[in-house]
Amino acid sequence: MKSGFVAIIGRPNVGKSTLLNQILGQKIVITTDKAQTTRKRIKGILTTEEGQIVFVDTPGVHKPLNKLGEFLLDEAKIAVPDADVILFLVDGSEPAGKGDKWIAQNLLQTQIPIIIVMNKVDKIKKTEKIESNLLTYKTLFNENLPVVKISAKTGRNKDTLIKNIFKKLPQGEALYPEDVVTEETMRDVTEEIIREKILLNTSDEIPHSVAVKVTNYKEQEEIDKIYATIYCEQKSQKGILIGKGGSLLKKIGTESRLELEKIVEKKVYLELEVKVEKDWRKKDKILKSFGYQQENL
C-alpha cells in the first residue's frame, strides 16, 4: 500500500480547488473565478485500493500586498517541504508567465518529485499550441519532468493523474480512516461557504476585504443553529454587503443555508451580521483571531 502528502501549487485561478473537488467527487473547497478564493491549506483525502493520497490545496501564489497576502504565500511555502509529491498546476491554455517562473525558481527548487499538471487544455483546439505552451513550462526546470494534461472542470484525465501520483508515493499505511475526506470542521466549512457566497455576489474590492467568523454553532438533532459575523474594512463596504433593505445579506444567507443543509442533511438556521474591523488585513492580532495564523517557516 502507498500513502503520502501531495501539495497542489500554482498561480491564482489555475483551478487548484476545482481539481481537488473533482478528484474527490465532492465539494470540500470553495471555488470562484476570483483570486484569493483559497486562503488556507485544506486537506482532501482520497482512499483507493492502491493506497491513500492526502492532497493539500494551497492559496494561489502571488506577490503579497499586506499581512494577509504574506500569510497566503507562507501557506504555499509551508506545504512544499512536507509533501511527498508536488503538483505544479498551470493554465495550459496560455504559455508560462512571470508568476509561473517565480514559483519554479522560488518554491520548486527541491528534490521532491514534481508533476507538471496542465489544466484547461480543453480550451485549445490545436495540438501544436498545447505543445508550444507546454515547452514554456518544461524549460522552467533543469530536468525533464512528467506532464499530465487535464481538465479540472470536466475531470478529463484525472485517473491518469492519480496513477502518476501513486507511482511516486512511498510505501506506507493509510494516514486517515478510509471514510474521511477532509480534516475541516463544520465551523470551517460554514465560514468558507459564507465567504464563497459573498465572493459570488459582490465585486471590486469587497471579496478581498471580507473575513467570516462563526461565533456560535449549536448542533441539534433536527436543526443546526449557526450564528456568524462577516467582517469588512470600511463602513461603505458594510452598506454594500447588507444591501438595500438587507437584500444582499439575505441572499448570501439563503444561498449559504441551502448549501449547508445539503451537507449536514437536515435543517439549518443561519443568522448573519456585518461588522467593520478597519484594515484587518494589516493587523497580526486580528489575522490570528480570524484563523490566519502565521507559522514559523
Side-chain angles (χ1 to χ4, degrees):
M1 187 179 189
K2 289 188 165 189
S3 71
F5 290 89
V6 175
I8 310 173
I9 304 289
R11 290 186 293 108
N13 282 359
V14 291
K16 296 181 294 296
S17 301
T18 303
L19 174 62
L20 182 52
N21 289 337
Q22 180 68 246
I23 286 171
L24 297 177
Q26 60 182 283
K27 180 175 172 177
I28 68 154
V29 196
I30 64 170
T31 58
T32 76
D33 60 0
K34 294 183 173 74
Q36 294 182 32
T37 297
T38 301
R39 283 184 175 170
K40 300 177 187 177
R41 282 170 292 150
I42 293 176
K43 290 191 181 92
I45 302 143
L46 177 73
T47 306
T48 71
E49 288 180 5
E50 199 168 345
Q52 191 175 76
I53 306 171
V54 183
F55 290 95
V56 184
D57 186 26
T58 63
V61 177
H62 67 290
K63 188 178 179 181
L65 301 173
N66 48 42
K67 294 273 187 187
L68 176 62
E70 289 170 15
F71 170 84
L72 300 184
L73 180 57
D74 286 349
E75 285 287 272
K77 283 182 179 176
I78 292 164
V80 170
D82 292 340
D84 296 293
V85 178
I86 297 166
L87 303 185
F88 179 33
L89 192 65
V90 301
D91 183 346
S93 68
E94 54 189 44
K98 285 181 183 176
D100 299 295
K101 190 175 182 181
W102 191 92
I103 293 169
Q105 290 176 347
N106 293 276
L107 294 185
L108 302 183
Q109 295 302 312
T110 173
Q111 297 303 307
I112 298 164
I114 298 169
I115 301 171
I116 297 173
V117 184
M118 281 186 83
N119 189 22
K120 306 184 185 182
V121 289
D122 48 331
K123 282 185 172 183
I124 304 177
K125 298 283 191 288
K126 294 181 179 176
T127 309
E128 57 267 29
K129 178 65 176 166
I130 296 172
E131 293 309 311
S132 67
N133 285 352
L134 173 57
L135 193 59
T136 66
Y137 291 105
K138 280 190 157 187
T139 52
L140 297 176
F141 300 91
N142 296 324
E143 57 184 312
N144 191 23
L145 297 177
V147 177
V148 181
K149 299 164 190 167
I150 64 153
S151 168
K153 199 172 180 180
T154 66
R156 173 183 162 187
N157 278 353
K158 77 172 179 183
D159 292 341
T160 305
L161 177 59
I162 291 164
K163 279 178 191 170
N164 274 268
I165 292 168
F166 272 123
K167 279 180 193 173
K168 296 187 175 298
L169 279 185
Q171 294 290 331
E173 291 303 308
L175 301 158
Y176 294 87
E178 63 178 46
D179 58 341
V180 173
V181 291
T182 185
E183 278 185 342
E184 300 301 291
T185 66
M186 271 313 297
R187 273 179 177 258
D188 298 328
V189 171
T190 300
E191 288 172 354
E192 287 294 275
I193 284 172
I194 295 167
R195 197 165 63 81
E196 178 187 51
K197 303 314 174 192
I198 294 166
L199 290 170
L200 293 171
N201 284 289
T202 59
S203 57
D204 302 324
E205 210 8 57
I206 297 287
H208 306 303
S209 308
V210 163
V212 179
K213 194 170 183 180
V214 169
T215 52
N216 199 348
Y217 194 117
K218 295 177 181 174
E219 194 174 334
Q220 297 173 0
E221 196 172 327
E222 292 185 4
I223 188 168
D224 282 2
K225 294 184 178 179
I226 308 168
Y227 302 82
T229 304
I230 299 166
Y231 291 91
C232 55
E233 293 188 312
Q234 296 166 22
K235 202 173 179 181
S236 59
Q237 294 169 345
K238 180 178 178 179
I240 292 167
L241 283 163
I242 292 172
K244 193 176 180 181
S247 57
L248 184 57
L249 190 63
K250 187 178 179 182
K251 188 171 190 280
I252 290 164
T254 301
E255 289 179 7
S256 302
R257 178 179 57 78
L258 291 172
E259 184 148 346
L260 287 165
E261 285 180 342
K262 286 180 194 172
I263 295 168
V264 298
E265 297 181 338
K266 59 180 165 181
K267 288 286 182 188
V268 168
Y269 169 82
L270 177 62
E271 189 172 297
L272 299 177
E273 66 172 329
V274 184
K275 288 184 178 178
V276 177
E277 183 62 63
K278 194 165 168 53
D279 295 331
W280 67 264
R281 287 179 292 173
K282 298 176 182 176
K283 297 174 181 174
D284 280 329
K285 191 177 178 182
I286 304 297
L287 282 165
K288 287 174 184 176
S289 75
F290 290 166
Y292 303 122
Q293 174 90 41
Q294 297 289 355
E295 295 189 36
N296 293 324
L297 294 179

